[in-house]
Amino acid sequence: MQSGYFQPLHNQFKIAWMWWVILLSFQQVLYYENNLQMNGLLYALIVLIIAYLYFLIRQRRFFASAHHLYFTRDFRLGMINIDLSHITTVTLKKNRFRFVYAGKEYHYFVFGKSHKLLEELLKENEVEYNLSQSQKA
């Protein structure tokens, strides 16, 4: 079993990034309202913002076997099991991997060796996929 790294690009993840920006903005407003002085609330917000940022940018792993992909969920409490024979509308761009499985669209950011691993796995399982224009050349 081989493994690689990914970042989710689905709507819930985008909303989480927006909430991080809102939290950071709220911290900045409180900082300027306190005449550029720190207090306990601001220190707590900074710690919360840094912890939240860590959970947003940390790398997540996926595992690839002969005919399946396993994408880890947050805190590795479970995995999303993807059977490659049932995926459709597969698009593999330079840094993105998008497909539809069981009526649900999945969109991930993959790069480097992880991208090559997915491309090889799709070829081995004879899954039809679209490459971006820059990769065809």
Side-chain angles (χ1 to χ4, degrees), residues 56-72:
L56 285 174
I57 65 172
R58 77 187 192 291
Q59 291 185 338
R60 293 152 174 90
R61 289 191 95 165
F62 71 87
F63 300 95
S65 67
H67 305 290
H68 292 271
L69 282 173
Y70 303 95
F71 290 95
T72 58

PDB file of all heavy atoms in Angstrom, residues 56-72:
ATOM      1  N   LEU A  56      -5.911  23.615   9.941  1.00  0.00           N
ATOM      2  CA  LEU A  56      -6.269  23.893   8.555  1.00  0.00           C
ATOM      3  C   LEU A  56      -5.149  23.533   7.577  1.00  0.00           C
ATOM      4  O   LEU A  56      -5.417  23.041   6.483  1.00  0.00           O
ATOM      5  CB  LEU A  56      -6.632  25.371   8.382  1.00  0.00           C
ATOM      6  CG  LEU A  56      -7.980  25.797   8.925  1.00  0.00           C
ATOM      7  CD1 LEU A  56      -8.119  27.304   8.817  1.00  0.00           C
ATOM      8  CD2 LEU A  56      -9.102  25.112   8.185  1.00  0.00           C
ATOM      9  N   ILE A  57      -3.890  23.773   7.962  1.00  0.00           N
ATOM     10  CA  ILE A  57      -2.802  23.591   6.999  1.00  0.00           C
ATOM     11  C   ILE A  57      -2.051  22.281   7.139  1.00  0.00           C
ATOM     12  O   ILE A  57      -1.207  21.974   6.296  1.00  0.00           O
ATOM     13  CB  ILE A  57      -1.794  24.762   7.062  1.00  0.00           C
ATOM     14  CG1 ILE A  57      -1.080  24.812   8.401  1.00  0.00           C
ATOM     15  CG2 ILE A  57      -2.455  26.063   6.728  1.00  0.00           C
ATOM     16  CD1 ILE A  57       0.049  25.802   8.465  1.00  0.00           C
ATOM     17  N   ARG A  58      -2.335  21.505   8.171  1.00  0.00           N
ATOM     18  CA  ARG A  58      -1.592  20.251   8.322  1.00  0.00           C
ATOM     19  C   ARG A  58      -1.899  19.324   7.156  1.00  0.00           C
ATOM     20  O   ARG A  58      -2.980  19.360   6.573  1.00  0.00           O
ATOM     21  CB  ARG A  58      -1.916  19.586   9.644  1.00  0.00           C
ATOM     22  CG  ARG A  58      -3.243  18.882   9.663  1.00  0.00           C
ATOM     23  CD  ARG A  58      -3.585  18.385  11.039  1.00  0.00           C
ATOM     24  NE  ARG A  58      -4.698  17.490  11.036  1.00  0.00           N
ATOM     25  CZ  ARG A  58      -5.945  17.823  10.781  1.00  0.00           C
ATOM     26  NH1 ARG A  58      -6.237  19.057  10.492  1.00  0.00           N
ATOM     27  NH2 ARG A  58      -6.900  16.923  10.820  1.00  0.00           N
ATOM     28  N   GLN A  59      -0.914  18.519   6.815  1.00  0.00           N
ATOM     29  CA  GLN A  59      -1.093  17.614   5.692  1.00  0.00           C
ATOM     30  C   GLN A  59      -1.892  16.398   6.126  1.00  0.00           C
ATOM     31  O   GLN A  59      -1.691  15.861   7.202  1.00  0.00           O
ATOM     32  CB  GLN A  59       0.255  17.177   5.144  1.00  0.00           C
ATOM     33  CG  GLN A  59       1.006  18.281   4.462  1.00  0.00           C
ATOM     34  CD  GLN A  59       2.282  17.774   3.825  1.00  0.00           C
ATOM     35  OE1 GLN A  59       2.802  16.738   4.198  1.00  0.00           O
ATOM     36  NE2 GLN A  59       2.780  18.523   2.876  1.00  0.00           N
ATOM     37  N   ARG A  60      -2.759  15.974   5.249  1.00  0.00           N
ATOM     38  CA  ARG A  60      -3.562  14.781   5.483  1.00  0.00           C
ATOM     39  C   ARG A  60      -3.053  13.694   4.553  1.00  0.00           C
ATOM     40  O   ARG A  60      -2.557  13.974   3.473  1.00  0.00           O
ATOM     41  CB  ARG A  60      -5.027  15.084   5.221  1.00  0.00           C
ATOM     42  CG  ARG A  60      -5.601  16.053   6.243  1.00  0.00           C
ATOM     43  CD  ARG A  60      -6.736  16.836   5.609  1.00  0.00           C
ATOM     44  NE  ARG A  60      -7.422  17.668   6.560  1.00  0.00           N
ATOM     45  CZ  ARG A  60      -7.079  18.910   6.827  1.00  0.00           C
ATOM     46  NH1 ARG A  60      -6.032  19.453   6.241  1.00  0.00           N
ATOM     47  NH2 ARG A  60      -7.759  19.625   7.693  1.00  0.00           N
ATOM     48  N   ARG A  61      -3.201  12.460   4.944  1.00  0.00           N
ATOM     49  CA  ARG A  61      -2.684  11.348   4.154  1.00  0.00           C
ATOM     50  C   ARG A  61      -3.802  10.593   3.449  1.00  0.00           C
ATOM     51  O   ARG A  61      -4.903  10.478   3.964  1.00  0.00           O
ATOM     52  CB  ARG A  61      -1.949  10.363   5.055  1.00  0.00           C
ATOM     53  CG  ARG A  61      -0.651  10.915   5.553  1.00  0.00           C
ATOM     54  CD  ARG A  61       0.122   9.851   6.186  1.00  0.00           C
ATOM     55  NE  ARG A  61       1.017   9.336   5.144  1.00  0.00           N
ATOM     56  CZ  ARG A  61       2.057   8.583   5.392  1.00  0.00           C
ATOM     57  NH1 ARG A  61       2.313   8.217   6.611  1.00  0.00           N
ATOM     58  NH2 ARG A  61       2.832   8.171   4.427  1.00  0.00           N
ATOM     59  N   PHE A  62      -3.454  10.088   2.285  1.00  0.00           N
ATOM     60  CA  PHE A  62      -4.315   9.124   1.626  1.00  0.00           C
ATOM     61  C   PHE A  62      -3.485   7.882   1.348  1.00  0.00           C
ATOM     62  O   PHE A  62      -2.259   7.939   1.251  1.00  0.00           O
ATOM     63  CB  PHE A  62      -4.949   9.681   0.343  1.00  0.00           C
ATOM     64  CG  PHE A  62      -4.008   9.858  -0.808  1.00  0.00           C
ATOM     65  CD1 PHE A  62      -3.753   8.824  -1.689  1.00  0.00           C
ATOM     66  CD2 PHE A  62      -3.386  11.082  -1.029  1.00  0.00           C
ATOM     67  CE1 PHE A  62      -2.886   8.993  -2.760  1.00  0.00           C
ATOM     68  CE2 PHE A  62      -2.532  11.257  -2.090  1.00  0.00           C
ATOM     69  CZ  PHE A  62      -2.267  10.214  -2.958  1.00  0.00           C
ATOM     70  N   PHE A  63      -4.165   6.768   1.269  1.00  0.00           N
ATOM     71  CA  PHE A  63      -3.504   5.493   1.014  1.00  0.00           C
ATOM     72  C   PHE A  63      -4.096   4.899  -0.252  1.00  0.00           C
ATOM     73  O   PHE A  63      -5.294   4.979  -0.489  1.00  0.00           O
ATOM     74  CB  PHE A  63      -3.701   4.543   2.195  1.00  0.00           C
ATOM     75  CG  PHE A  63      -3.145   5.090   3.477  1.00  0.00           C
ATOM     76  CD1 PHE A  63      -3.958   5.765   4.372  1.00  0.00           C
ATOM     77  CD2 PHE A  63      -1.802   4.946   3.770  1.00  0.00           C
ATOM     78  CE1 PHE A  63      -3.450   6.282   5.542  1.00  0.00           C
ATOM     79  CE2 PHE A  63      -1.281   5.467   4.944  1.00  0.00           C
ATOM     80  CZ  PHE A  63      -2.102   6.132   5.826  1.00  0.00           C
ATOM     81  N   ALA A  64      -3.231   4.299  -1.060  1.00  0.00           N
ATOM     82  CA  ALA A  64      -3.664   3.718  -2.329  1.00  0.00           C
ATOM     83  C   ALA A  64      -3.312   2.243  -2.348  1.00  0.00           C
ATOM     84  O   ALA A  64      -2.166   1.862  -2.118  1.00  0.00           O
ATOM     85  CB  ALA A  64      -2.979   4.437  -3.486  1.00  0.00           C
ATOM     86  N   SER A  65      -4.317   1.414  -2.590  1.00  0.00           N
ATOM     87  CA  SER A  65      -4.081  -0.016  -2.790  1.00  0.00           C
ATOM     88  C   SER A  65      -4.379  -0.323  -4.251  1.00  0.00           C
ATOM     89  O   SER A  65      -4.561   0.583  -5.061  1.00  0.00           O
ATOM     90  CB  SER A  65      -4.946  -0.838  -1.846  1.00  0.00           C
ATOM     91  OG  SER A  65      -6.307  -0.699  -2.174  1.00  0.00           O
ATOM     92  N   ALA A  66      -4.454  -1.574  -4.607  1.00  0.00           N
ATOM     93  CA  ALA A  66      -4.623  -1.964  -6.014  1.00  0.00           C
ATOM     94  C   ALA A  66      -5.874  -1.350  -6.655  1.00  0.00           C
ATOM     95  O   ALA A  66      -5.808  -0.841  -7.765  1.00  0.00           O
ATOM     96  CB  ALA A  66      -4.674  -3.479  -6.120  1.00  0.00           C
ATOM     97  N   HIS A  67      -7.016  -1.366  -5.978  1.00  0.00           N
ATOM     98  CA  HIS A  67      -8.257  -0.884  -6.575  1.00  0.00           C
ATOM     99  C   HIS A  67      -9.027   0.095  -5.695  1.00  0.00           C
ATOM    100  O   HIS A  67     -10.197   0.365  -5.956  1.00  0.00           O
ATOM    101  CB  HIS A  67      -9.171  -2.071  -6.910  1.00  0.00           C
ATOM    102  CG  HIS A  67      -8.520  -3.087  -7.786  1.00  0.00           C
ATOM    103  ND1 HIS A  67      -8.239  -2.851  -9.101  1.00  0.00           N
ATOM    104  CD2 HIS A  67      -8.060  -4.330  -7.519  1.00  0.00           C
ATOM    105  CE1 HIS A  67      -7.656  -3.917  -9.623  1.00  0.00           C
ATOM    106  NE2 HIS A  67      -7.538  -4.829  -8.679  1.00  0.00           N
ATOM    107  N   HIS A  68      -8.390   0.608  -4.653  1.00  0.00           N
ATOM    108  CA  HIS A  68      -9.083   1.504  -3.721  1.00  0.00           C
ATOM    109  C   HIS A  68      -8.193   2.677  -3.342  1.00  0.00           C
ATOM    110  O   HIS A  68      -6.973   2.581  -3.336  1.00  0.00           O
ATOM    111  CB  HIS A  68      -9.472   0.774  -2.434  1.00  0.00           C
ATOM    112  CG  HIS A  68     -10.525  -0.260  -2.626  1.00  0.00           C
ATOM    113  ND1 HIS A  68     -11.856   0.028  -2.539  1.00  0.00           N
ATOM    114  CD2 HIS A  68     -10.454  -1.582  -2.911  1.00  0.00           C
ATOM    115  CE1 HIS A  68     -12.562  -1.072  -2.756  1.00  0.00           C
ATOM    116  NE2 HIS A  68     -11.714  -2.068  -2.987  1.00  0.00           N
ATOM    117  N   LEU A  69      -8.847   3.776  -3.004  1.00  0.00           N
ATOM    118  CA  LEU A  69      -8.202   4.932  -2.392  1.00  0.00           C
ATOM    119  C   LEU A  69      -8.829   5.133  -1.023  1.00  0.00           C
ATOM    120  O   LEU A  69     -10.040   4.996  -0.856  1.00  0.00           O
ATOM    121  CB  LEU A  69      -8.428   6.195  -3.228  1.00  0.00           C
ATOM    122  CG  LEU A  69      -7.589   6.371  -4.476  1.00  0.00           C
ATOM    123  CD1 LEU A  69      -8.079   7.574  -5.261  1.00  0.00           C
ATOM    124  CD2 LEU A  69      -6.136   6.534  -4.129  1.00  0.00           C
ATOM    125  N   TYR A  70      -8.022   5.440  -0.041  1.00  0.00           N
ATOM    126  CA  TYR A  70      -8.503   5.684   1.312  1.00  0.00           C
ATOM    127  C   TYR A  70      -8.029   7.071   1.731  1.00  0.00           C
ATOM    128  O   TYR A  70      -6.831   7.299   1.889  1.00  0.00           O
ATOM    129  CB  TYR A  70      -7.952   4.641   2.285  1.00  0.00           C
ATOM    130  CG  TYR A  70      -8.285   3.226   1.901  1.00  0.00           C
ATOM    131  CD1 TYR A  70      -7.398   2.457   1.163  1.00  0.00           C
ATOM    132  CD2 TYR A  70      -9.496   2.654   2.268  1.00  0.00           C
ATOM    133  CE1 TYR A  70      -7.701   1.159   0.805  1.00  0.00           C
ATOM    134  CE2 TYR A  70      -9.807   1.353   1.913  1.00  0.00           C
ATOM    135  CZ  TYR A  70      -8.902   0.613   1.180  1.00  0.00           C
ATOM    136  OH  TYR A  70      -9.202  -0.673   0.819  1.00  0.00           O
ATOM    137  N   PHE A  71      -8.964   7.998   1.895  1.00  0.00           N
ATOM    138  CA  PHE A  71      -8.646   9.350   2.330  1.00  0.00           C
ATOM    139  C   PHE A  71      -8.971   9.472   3.813  1.00  0.00           C
ATOM    140  O   PHE A  71     -10.086   9.156   4.236  1.00  0.00           O
ATOM    141  CB  PHE A  71      -9.454  10.386   1.540  1.00  0.00           C
ATOM    142  CG  PHE A  71      -9.025  10.500   0.104  1.00  0.00           C
ATOM    143  CD1 PHE A  71      -9.671   9.787  -0.881  1.00  0.00           C
ATOM    144  CD2 PHE A  71      -7.973  11.319  -0.255  1.00  0.00           C
ATOM    145  CE1 PHE A  71      -9.289   9.882  -2.207  1.00  0.00           C
ATOM    146  CE2 PHE A  71      -7.571  11.429  -1.569  1.00  0.00           C
ATOM    147  CZ  PHE A  71      -8.227  10.710  -2.548  1.00  0.00           C
ATOM    148  N   THR A  72      -8.010   9.932   4.597  1.00  0.00           N
ATOM    149  CA  THR A  72      -8.242  10.066   6.036  1.00  0.00           C
ATOM    150  C   THR A  72      -9.160  11.254   6.295  1.00  0.00           C
ATOM    151  O   THR A  72      -9.163  12.236   5.559  1.00  0.00           O
ATOM    152  CB  THR A  72      -6.926  10.272   6.802  1.00  0.00           C
ATOM    153  OG1 THR A  72      -6.260  11.425   6.299  1.00  0.00           O
ATOM    154  CG2 THR A  72      -6.028   9.064   6.704  1.00  0.00           C
TER     155      THR A  72
END
